[in-house]
Amino acid sequence: DSGVYVNGGRGLLRNTILVSHTVGLRVPIGSVLLDHVLWYSNTVGHTAGAGTITITQSVEADPFLAADGYHLTPTSTAAIDAGASAQVSADVDGEPRSGTPDIGADEYWAPGALKRMYLPIVLSAV
């Protein structure tokens, strides 16, 4: 059971959480660059395989994900504001990513935080 399996070619994973797999990333052939990855509870190890794996930023910590397995919670401090710019403007829910992005598919927004502002369009007849 591998979180990500790359069997040839080249890959880039940025702002990725790899949690609760036997091996987080397996690369038998090829190469993968991991940039800002959060590892946790991979039972055999984080990486495996004879391919090339380059890691530029990583942290090992409990991501404290919500019960659905991918939304961040207020205690997800290892992931919140810990990512790298990836020129991605929205998260998995279509919510905006602003400032320093979070690691993972979800951008954490505190309850009640202003995510969007809709302004009415006012037309005037001249």
Side-chain angles (χ1 to χ4, degrees):
D1 171 37
S2 298
V4 177
Y5 186 91
V6 177
N7 194 26
R10 296 183 316 173
L12 166 65
L13 296 172
R14 180 169 284 141
N15 300 335
T16 304
I17 298 175
L18 292 169
V19 173
S20 298
H21 300 284
T22 303
V23 174
L25 171 66
R26 185 179 304 275
V27 184
I29 307 168
S31 65
V32 174
L33 169 62
L34 286 171
D35 181 28
H36 290 78
V37 62
L38 190 153
W39 311 97
Y40 184 69
S41 192
N42 296 302
T43 56
V44 171
H46 298 320
T47 63
T52 303
I53 300 170
T54 305
I55 302 170
T56 58
Q57 285 283 344
S58 74
V59 63
E60 184 166 347
D62 189 335
F64 292 103
L65 298 172
D68 62 18
Y70 65 92
H71 281 97
L72 301 177
T73 65
T75 55
S76 300
T77 55
I80 295 172
D81 293 335
S85 176
Q87 285 131 14
V88 175
S89 60
D91 71 1
V92 68
D93 300 314
E95 297 172 342
R97 291 204 183 246
S98 65
T100 304
D102 298 339
I103 295 176
D106 180 46
E107 184 74 10
Y108 177 74
W109 288 87
L114 181 63
K115 299 175 196 172
R116 297 178 181 90
M117 182 181 296
Y118 296 97
L119 300 174
I121 296 175
V122 178
L123 300 175
S124 116
V126 182

